[in-house]
Amino acid sequence: MPSSPSSSVSTPSLVETEAFPSRTSYISKEKEKDDVTICEKGGSTLNCSKSDHESATKDLEQVDVPDGGLRAWLVVVGVFGYTNAYGVYNDYYVRTYLVDKYTSAQISWIGSVQLFLVLSIGLFTGRAFDTGHFYHLMIGGSVLLVFCLFMISITQPVIWQLFILQGVGIGAAIGMMYIPAVGICSHYFRKRRPLAIGIATSGSALGGALHPIMLNHWFHGPLGFRNGVRLSAGLNGGLLLISLFLMKPRLAPTKESKIGTIESFKLFLRDVPYVFTIAGTVFTLAGLYYPIFFVQLNSIKNGINPTLAFYTIAILNGASSIGRIIPNLFVYRYGVFNVLVPCVATASVLVFCTLAVKDAAGTLIFAILYGFFSGAYIGLIAPVINSLSTHDYEIGARLGVCFVFTGLGGLLGM
C-alpha cells in the first residue's frame, strides 16, 4: 500500500507500531551514499531513494488514518462474504451426485484445490492490490465466481467438470478477492486494525453459517441441486454487487518501481521472523480445514440424524464468526502472537478429538469449540502479517508471499 508524503528524516529511528505494542516493528539504519539509502530490516537490504525511504517512514506513522468513522466501517461491512459452504457440496457429491462413481478421497480434491488457489494466487493479487488494481480484482473475481456457480448447475455428474468449475474456477475467483478485501481495511484502520479485520473476516463465517442451511434445504428440497445452485449464484452476485459499492480504496496506489513481485519474494524470505511465521501457517492450514469440510459428512456416517447433521457446518461457522472477533479484542493488550498461539494449540487438540466424537452431543460441542478457535486463527493471520510489515505499502505483497506457502499446506492436508 502506498505511503503518504513526508518530511525529511535525518537520523535512524526505532518505531513502535501503535497497533501492536508488544512488538518493535523494525530498526531502520540509514547509510547515505550519493542519492541512495540502504534500508535494512531483519538482515535484509533493499536499495531505495532517500525520498522513497522518507515517504515510507511517514507511511508507517499513519498520522492521517481515520481509524473509524462511517466510511471506514462501511468498508468493513463490504468485506463480508462466505467461503466455507463447500462442506455442503462435498456431502452432496459423496452421498448423492457422484455416489458409486468416485471415492470420497477423489472428490475431496475439489475442495483441496479450491483452498490452495484461494491462498496461493495471493502472490500476484497481493502485489496487484498494492499497485492500485483493487477494482479489477474484485470485479473480475465476482464475475468469475457467479459464472462458475451457474455453470455448476448444468454440469453432468462427472468429477472433471466439477473440478474445473468449483476447484479451479471458484478457487481462483475467491483468491482474486480475498487479499484485496482484507487488505483494504488497512487503508482505514491502524490502532483498531486487528478488530476491523476480525469483524470483516467474521462475515465469511456468518455467511458460512447461513448459506449451508439454505443450500441443504434447496438441494434436498423441492428446488433440487441445479436450481439450488442457480439461486445461490444469484444471491452471491447481488451481495458482491453491494460490496463493490461499499468498498473504496482510500490511498493512492504504490508505484510499480518501488518493489517488484520477485524482489519482494526474495526480500521477505530473508526476514527470519517472517519465515518462521510462514512455516507455522503451512502446518496450521494442513489440518485446519479438514474438520470444516467433513463435519457434516462424518456426522451422517456416525449415525446422527441427517436433519441435525445439516446444521453442523452452520453451527461451526457461527462459532467461527465469534472467534474471529473476540480474540482480536485482546491483541492490543497482549500482542497478536500471544493471542494466536493458544488458539491454534487448542484447535490442534480438537482435531484429534474427532476420533472420539460419535454422538450428536459430542458433534455439536466439537463444532462450537472448533469453530471458535479455528476462526480465531483466520481472523488473526492478517494482523500477524501486518505486524511483521515494515511499511503499509508491502502488506498485500507479504500476505501474498505467505499465502503461497500456506496454500500448499491446505492442498496437502486435505
Side-chain angles (χ1 to χ4, degrees), residues 35-66:
D35 218 11
V36 175
T37 298
I38 307 297
C39 307
E40 297 184 356
K41 188 232 178 234
S44 304
T45 61
L46 175 67
N47 292 338
C48 59
S49 68
K50 286 190 289 185
S51 61
D52 282 345
H53 180 66
E54 293 167 358
S55 181
T57 303
K58 188 66 172 181
D59 170 64
L60 189 65
E61 297 173 359
Q62 287 290 316
V63 295
D64 61 340
V65 172

Side-chain angles (χ1 to χ4, degrees), residues 319-343:
S320 179
S321 65
I322 300 174
R324 300 184 194 198
I325 298 175
I326 293 180
N328 289 53
L329 296 174
F330 298 94
V331 167
Y332 184 71
R333 183 179 181 87
Y334 298 105
V336 65
F337 282 96
N338 292 333
V339 176
L340 175 69
V341 172
C343 291

